Amino acid sequence: MTKTALKKGFLWGNSVSSMQTEGAYNEGGRGPSVYDIREAGEYVSDWKVATDDYHRYPEDFDLMQDLGMNCYRFQISWSRVQPDGEGDFNEEGIQFYSDFIDALIARGIEPMICLYHFDMPLNLAKKYQGFMSREVVDNFVRYGKKMVDVFGDRVKYWLTFNEQNLYSMPGCAKIAGALETPETLENILKITHHVMLAHAQVAKYLHETTDDQIGGMLAYTELYPATSKPKDNFYTEQINQFYNYNLLDAFNGKGYIPAYLNLVAQNDFDFIQPGDLTIVQDQYSDFLPFSYYRSTTLSADEISDLSDLLQHSSNFYQDNPNLKTTEWNWQIDPLGFRNIIVKMWNHYRKPIFPIENGIGVIEEWDGQNEIQDDYRIAYHRDHLQAMKDAIEIDGVDVVGYLGWGLIDILSSQGDMRKRYGVVYVNRTNHDLRDLKRFPKKSYHWLKRVIQSNGADLSE
């Protein structure tokens, strides 16, 4: 492993969403979101308290400062700053985030804002079916511009949508707030377009009114053909085109890929209106952020056509027998991480920024002894080395490295058992306990890594 440090100013940090951390679901003037009506289950918490970051964020920021982190990507809860998503803004909610940002800056931590992470204001979901509707596109743009206006003087880095390519995949209706919308091919392509329209208008406004930077974000899973069959390779590339390069091209001012526009036209879908494609093309990303956790393979044996692939893609994924797999059936592949970094850089020559990476593991604390999470150290060590290889061997410009939920949070499904953190939070799915924070073994390792600016990755 190389012992060289990363460039001066490299960003080390942590990423989270509001619903997985904040709690305080009925405090501070916050309105309901779609998460507030989700029912708890045996392995699913409700979202009322989460890790109580609304009240405890100074404690968490102190831990980040002690670790040496200099960047924190958090999400603004749309419902907290605009309770119904379309009416008046809530000054108490805006003040909460203003104080939150000031607290980060006071500790030398660069704030990065994400505007939307699946938690549509409930009113917009019920009234308009979320991003199925142009009204919600317009409301999001109004919300996004307001946040830029009030925080743009202190926040340099921005995201519109968490993992925006998920709005092109099965499951897109749920995260887009379209709770009663069938996921037909037309609706998947429509949601893809509406979300991009919203992103493009906010990105353009930010560039027109500030010197800040914004990036369009992907959830990037490295995908290999399951075999050397030409059909496996062909449909693997089709997935890559529709789920990754369609948006990456748009983020970089090229507009959509021709295949996306052809699919819309050939099916006589009419959701692209005059002027839309100019809006999509008339903006750009300053950096290319993405999440990465795993890779998988695709078998095309049962795929009938492109429509079948885009509507049911998860049905065709298979485990890779050459990789280790976590208890959540996510396959560990640091080389896939490097490959994605290199591919994006070679295609677009924009600074690359991995802003989510980590391993989720079921962990229990005995109440006394430090959790010995060597598996987490190994995961981050190997991925950091892969990133360094992309920088030092492949010549990539990488902005920073943000882990996911490095202080334990609820999982995206609401399961507190799936822990990513280097800090343990003392609660279970249904027992809040005392919510105290306790560093794990990986905390001390990561602190040393950051102090050396990535030069020392040894265990």
Side-chain angles (χ1 to χ4, degrees), residues 331-351:
Q331 297 199 275
I332 301 171
D333 184 9
L335 193 58
F337 184 47
R338 175 181 173 185
N339 199 35
I340 287 169
I341 292 171
V342 173
K343 285 189 294 188
M344 286 202 293
W345 172 252
N346 285 342
H347 268 89
Y348 301 105
R349 296 296 198 278
K350 289 282 182 72

Side-chain angles (χ1 to χ4, degrees), residues 408-432:
D408 284 345
I409 62 178
L410 291 177
S411 79
S412 60
Q413 302 304 313
D415 192 348
M416 197 65 201
R417 296 177 306 154
K418 190 178 185 183
R419 295 174 181 267
Y420 285 87
V422 299
V423 175
Y424 186 87
V425 174
N426 192 31
R427 66 156 290 180
T428 69
N429 276 324
H430 305 297
D431 182 358
L432 294 177

